[in-house]
Amino acid sequence: MQAHQQSSRKRYQESYRQSIDHPETFWKEQAARIPWFTFPDTILAWDEQQHARWFVDGEMNICHAALDHHVDEGRGEQTALLWDSPVSGQKRRMSYREMRDATAVFAGALRNLGVEKGDRVVIYMPMVPEALIAMYACARLGAVHSVVFGGFAAHELAVRIDDASPKVVIAASCGIEVDKIIPYKPIVDAALTQSTHQPDACVILQRDACLAELSDGDHEWHSLAADAEPAACVSVKATDPLYVLYTSGTTGKPKGVVRDHGGYAVALAYSMEAVYDMAPGEVFFSASDVGWVVGHSYIVYAPLLRGCTTVVYEGKPVRTPDAGAFWRLIEEYRVKAFFTAPTAFRAIKKEDPEGTHLAQYDISCLKNLFLAGERLDPPTYHWLNKLLERPVIDHWWQTETGWPIAANMMGIDPVPTKAGSATFPVPGYDVRILDPDGEEAGPNIQGSVVIRQPMPPGCLTTIWQNPERFHKAYMATFPGFYLTGDGGYFDKEGYLFVMGRTDDVINVAGHRLSTGEMEEVLGAHPAVAECAVIGIRDALKGQVPVGLVIPKDGFDGDTLALENELKQQVREKIGGIAGLQEVLVVSRLPKTRSGKILRKLLRTIADGEEYAVPSTIDDPGSLQDVHDSMRERALGQAEQARQR
Ligand code: COA
Ligand code: AMP
């Protein structure tokens, strides 16, 4: 256990109890953290399916709260955003006033294209300031943005365009990876060829690294903005949708997580102080991407709601140019709190295990390091503790919640941390562990991690266009509780350990991916009869996907060629981030008698762990086949990776 400060936990416990026993009083107090056009009278209401709705009669606008309000309060000249892009060799600073003005003008430009309150806008952009400006501009108009991560391929973009039916698509001409430029415009064009829905217009931000060819219906960002009048913030209801962010579920179709304006703004403003211990004027650096929830919450919205400076980094933890990149940024921008995924530090540790790069920088400004996106594995936790000699905070959350469910509350009452634990539930979240019968599990017993209703403000309000899926996926399994999809346990001291997904979602380098989606790609190949995709352990990325396929009877092609073709198809359809580590052609897959593929067993075999042959298995001989294939190929690779 790491004790960086003695604590009685009293302040945390008081706060936590109040949030659970008197949620309305607690959240009414927190609501005063943000500016409202109309302060809510009703703090908590319930919809017909008994889902919580926060601040239902409040009116505000998150763009106003994060930008205009600060300018009006005298923070106009303070730096709002620091952009640092080693991949393009550029840097930029924007004050609150500049951000507000650029956002107001771009909102005017979107309005000229017909975008109004409630319309959707899809944003497909890399880590450039304009991505934030586009998001805030949508919020300003009351339009609903849906940002798609730049690493997703055309097909994934098309699926999201069809689901969100945007009036406008905004993209950059390219993204820049470590050693390659990725032209985005051809990806957008390909997506629009595949999608049924067609937007009225596309807006393209031209980047010097690769200019896009524009066609009819395309507008260049700056020319469009040059003709626009600034637009004022539209007053929206607290419960009006701010964005739809797609995340992987257990089926091939991603879930459009819907977030509202008011509850989200209140929760983020609260978390900046209570979880992250940030005060106005301080610098927050979250090394994620605007395409992920961490980017939405802690690059774009939360730091500015709190009057802080946000660092927008277009680069990698390593290779841009080296494993000292994060330390350089922390020193250069005087970062107080830094947030990234454990996988990023595993990449740094691999290249610089002794921390020689760190020794070249003065990072005395850094008070706390926060990690999330996957469980902070104990070896990385210990390595970071030793290297940094300051609090290393693992905290747990998901796209659906939008802000941390469990954390060490650095702004209220820091407590000693434990390796492998995300510490305690954050005020607002009544976290329980249930066994399969819905009974509460005792200390140290693993079960489903659930959250008792009401979920606090800021959490998803529904699945876009699919309230039934929302209810079924999250609320129906244990009535009265939200199902997180994670398994875990509390220890005797109340520390929460979140151990991994209980469904078919995997976590690759901090990216959440659906094995079901990859299986759809493999299964669509004419030579494939059956398939399974599993996530196996990987020393750098946490997990990597491996596919197992049974060819159709009569298949007499080259197996190696088929394996490579399938790998390529997954990259093409989903994107590079979903690259299958290995595809193995096998003759049988282990199944239960009812025909369900025993994926957990496959994972256990692939990870090289001991396994027992389950009594429900239909064809025990299939295990030997799979075992031998994996030993020969995937396991060998995984073992090499583990030793890297
Ligand atoms: N646009 C286009 N392509 C992208 C992309 C983007 N924004 N991000 C990743 N890709 C591509 C990469 O170019 C790579 O393609 P390749 O296989 O053809 O070379 C592929 O997707 C895999 O990329 P990545 O997952 O980044 O692997 P990597 O080996 O290049 O880097 C890490 C490994 C650990 C350094 C990297 O994954 C990382 O920084 N992870 C942190 C993730 C994170 O912050 N997640 C947020 C959750 S909090
Ligand atoms: P995402 O929605 O992409 O943020 O992924 C959420 C999932 O990542 C969670 O359901 C967990 O499985 C995993 N996760 C994120 N942070 C943590 C953490 N600190 N500890 C354990 N698992 C985590």
Side-chain angles (χ1 to χ4, degrees):
M1 192 185 292
Q2 182 210 21
H4 27 75
Q5 194 174 324
Q6 282 310 310
S7 160
S8 61
R9 298 185 202 171
K10 197 160 170 275
R11 283 190 61 211
Y12 160 75
Q13 276 166 351
E14 274 170 15
S15 216
Y16 185 72
R17 278 280 36 108
Q18 198 209 12
S19 76
I20 301 302
D21 296 343
H22 306 286
E24 294 185 60
T25 317
F26 181 85
W27 287 111
K28 185 173 182 183
E29 246 171 60
Q30 308 313 329
R33 291 171 180 274
I34 64 154
W36 294 84
F37 300 143
T38 309
F39 193 85
D41 267 336
T42 307
I43 302 301
L44 172 61
W46 297 90
D47 71 7
E48 58 289 352
Q49 281 193 297
Q50 294 306 299
H51 306 138
R53 294 285 175 263
W54 293 95
F55 315 123
V56 284
D57 52 1
E59 294 245 349
M60 46 78 73
N61 184 301
I62 200 166
C63 178
H64 168 260
L67 295 177
D68 301 57
H69 171 68
H70 292 304
V71 177
D72 297 345
E73 296 286 302
R75 221 168 256 292
E77 305 325 309
Q78 187 198 303
T79 304
L81 175 154
L82 289 159
W83 179 52
D84 192 298
S85 170
V87 290
S88 69
Q90 291 173 293
K91 291 181 185 182
R92 186 168 161 195
R93 167 196 177 276
M94 289 185 82
S95 66
Y96 270 88
R97 188 183 307 283
E98 286 167 328
M99 274 292 282
R100 192 240 1 224
D101 292 349
T103 297
V105 168
F106 193 66
L110 288 178
R111 181 169 281 160
N112 289 346
L113 294 177
V115 176
E116 294 295 345
K117 184 173 169 178
D119 289 336
R120 273 81 56 213
V121 174
V122 162
I123 300 174
Y124 186 63
M125 294 183 98
M127 289 291 287
V128 291
E130 287 81 0
L132 283 79
I133 292 168
M135 291 163 80
Y136 273 117
C138 292
R140 198 170 184 87
L141 297 176
V144 181
H145 60 68
S146 186
V147 181
V148 180
F149 175 58
F152 280 124
H155 170 74
E156 289 297 307
L157 181 57
V159 168
R160 287 154 174 78
I161 288 172
D162 270 335
D163 197 66
S165 55
K167 201 163 231 179
V168 170
V169 172
I170 305 172
S173 58
C174 66
I176 310 176
E177 282 291 288
V178 182
D179 45 13
K180 58 180 182 254
I181 291 168
I182 300 175
Y184 277 12
K185 184 62 176 26
I187 301 176
V188 173
D189 289 343
L192 291 176
T193 311
Q194 292 175 37
S195 66
T196 311
H197 174 82
Q198 297 298 307
D200 292 353
C202 288
V203 180
I204 304 293
L205 174 77
Q206 293 283 23
R207 303 189 75 190
D208 293 341
C210 165
L211 296 179
E213 246 178 65
L214 304 189
S215 40
D216 282 354
D218 294 339
H219 302 265
E220 194 278 318
W221 176 295
H222 292 289
S223 333
L224 187 74
D227 297 333
E229 289 296 318
C233 288
V234 168
S235 180
V236 297
K237 284 207 204 99
T239 48
D240 279 340
L242 166 66
Y243 65 74
V244 181
L245 177 59
Y246 290 89
T247 190
S248 300
T250 47
T251 68
K253 191 170 164 12
K255 296 187 228 179
V257 164
V258 178
R259 192 97 58 215
D260 63 10
H261 269 250
Y264 188 48
V266 170
L268 292 184
Y270 168 69
S271 72
M272 281 302 278
E273 189 178 349
V275 178
Y276 298 102
D277 192 27
M278 293 297 294
E282 293 176 334
V283 182
F284 194 82
F285 174 21
S286 176
S288 179
D289 188 286
V290 288
W292 305 116
V293 66
V294 176
H296 279 64
S297 294
Y298 293 105
I299 295 174
V300 181
Y301 288 113
L304 302 192
L305 282 164
R306 182 76 178 134
C308 296
T309 299
T310 187
V311 177
V312 177
Y313 176 55
E314 190 183 27
K316 296 269 176 179
V318 291
R319 295 181 287 151
T320 56
D322 55 36
F326 284 165
W327 314 130
R328 195 261 303 162
L329 275 114
I330 291 169
E331 177 191 272
E332 189 167 333
Y333 300 123
R334 311 304 302 150
V335 171
K336 180 181 176 193
F338 177 47
F339 180 169
T340 191
T343 188
F345 276 114
R346 288 197 297 270
I348 293 172
K349 182 169 113 189
K350 186 169 150 251
E351 294 204 1
D352 183 20
E354 303 305 324
T356 47
H357 283 286
L358 176 61
Q360 296 164 33
Y361 298 98
D362 169 11
I363 63 155
S364 51
C365 52
L366 183 72
K367 293 290 173 284
N368 297 308
L369 168 65
F370 295 90
L371 294 133
E374 57 179 314
R375 179 166 178 254
L376 174 57
D377 53 293
T380 308
Y381 168 85
H382 291 304
W383 181 77
L384 281 166
N385 262 322
K386 195 159 160 244
L387 190 71
L388 294 177
E389 296 175 330
R390 43 172 68 67
V392 174
I393 315 297
D394 181 14
H395 62 326
W396 165 61
W397 49 300
Q398 23 181 241
T399 305
E400 288 85 345
T401 64
W403 65 291
I405 310 166
N408 197 349
M409 306 295 293
M410 299 311 286
I412 299 186
D413 205 358
V415 297
T417 51
K418 288 188 188 184
S421 168
T423 314
F424 298 143
V426 166
Y429 289 97
D430 190 351
V431 178
R432 308 286 175 104
I433 309 292
L434 300 185
D435 70 16
D437 298 326
E439 296 298 323
E440 226 167 304
N444 294 327
I445 302 197
Q446 273 211 45
S448 282
V449 190
V450 299
I451 301 165
R452 197 168 71 91
Q453 290 267 47
M455 298 273 278
C459 296
L460 83 168
T461 54
T462 189
I463 297 290
W464 181 252
Q465 305 283 44
N466 205 339
E468 299 80 29
R469 189 174 180 193
F470 169 61
H471 191 77
K472 192 161 169 254
Y474 301 107
M475 305 299 188
T477 311
F478 299 114
F481 297 90
Y482 163 87
L483 184 73
T484 66
D486 280 309
Y489 63 93
F490 281 110
D491 74 3
K492 286 208 166 89
E493 289 180 292
Y495 282 72
L496 180 63
F497 290 74
V498 178
M499 304 307 291
R501 301 286 306 190
T502 53
D503 54 18
D504 296 330
V505 167
I506 59 170
N507 200 312
V508 180
H511 306 138
R512 175 167 159 183
L513 300 170
S514 155
T515 53
E517 200 169 1
M518 296 181 215
E519 284 174 7
E520 276 187 20
V521 177
L522 299 185
H525 192 284
V528 173
E530 248 187 298
C531 65
V533 173
I534 52 167
I536 68 167
R537 270 208 295 270
D538 179 78
L540 175 66
K541 298 192 173 185
Q543 282 184 302
V544 287
V546 165
L548 298 151
V549 297
I550 304 178
K552 283 192 179 144
D553 285 350
F555 171 76
D556 58 359
D558 177 352
T559 348
L560 198 62
L562 175 65
E563 290 171 356
N564 286 334
E565 200 184 322
L566 290 170
K567 272 196 207 173
Q568 195 48 35
Q569 287 200 347
V570 171
R571 290 178 77 87
E572 272 166 23
K573 287 253 162 63
I574 305 178
I577 48 162
L580 288 173
Q581 159 115 356
E582 198 59 66
V583 174
L584 300 178
V585 171
V586 293
S587 52
R588 291 181 289 183
L589 282 168
K591 288 185 191 165
T592 59
R593 286 188 200 103
S594 58
K596 204 167 177 289
I597 296 174
L598 290 156
R599 288 182 172 73
K600 191 159 180 284
L601 184 64
L602 288 171
R603 275 200 305 270
T604 313
I605 299 172
D607 288 339
E609 289 170 7
E610 291 294 314
Y611 61 89
V613 179
S615 57
T616 50
I617 197 163
D618 184 36
D619 171 14
S622 61
L623 268 188
Q624 197 57 47
D625 280 8
V626 165
H627 183 277
D628 292 348
S629 307
M630 286 198 192
R631 280 261 156 233
E632 224 174 89
R633 297 271 299 281
L635 246 188
Q637 298 224 0
E639 267 161 16
Q640 277 169 23
R642 257 176 254 144
Q643 286 159 10
R644 272 203 295 245

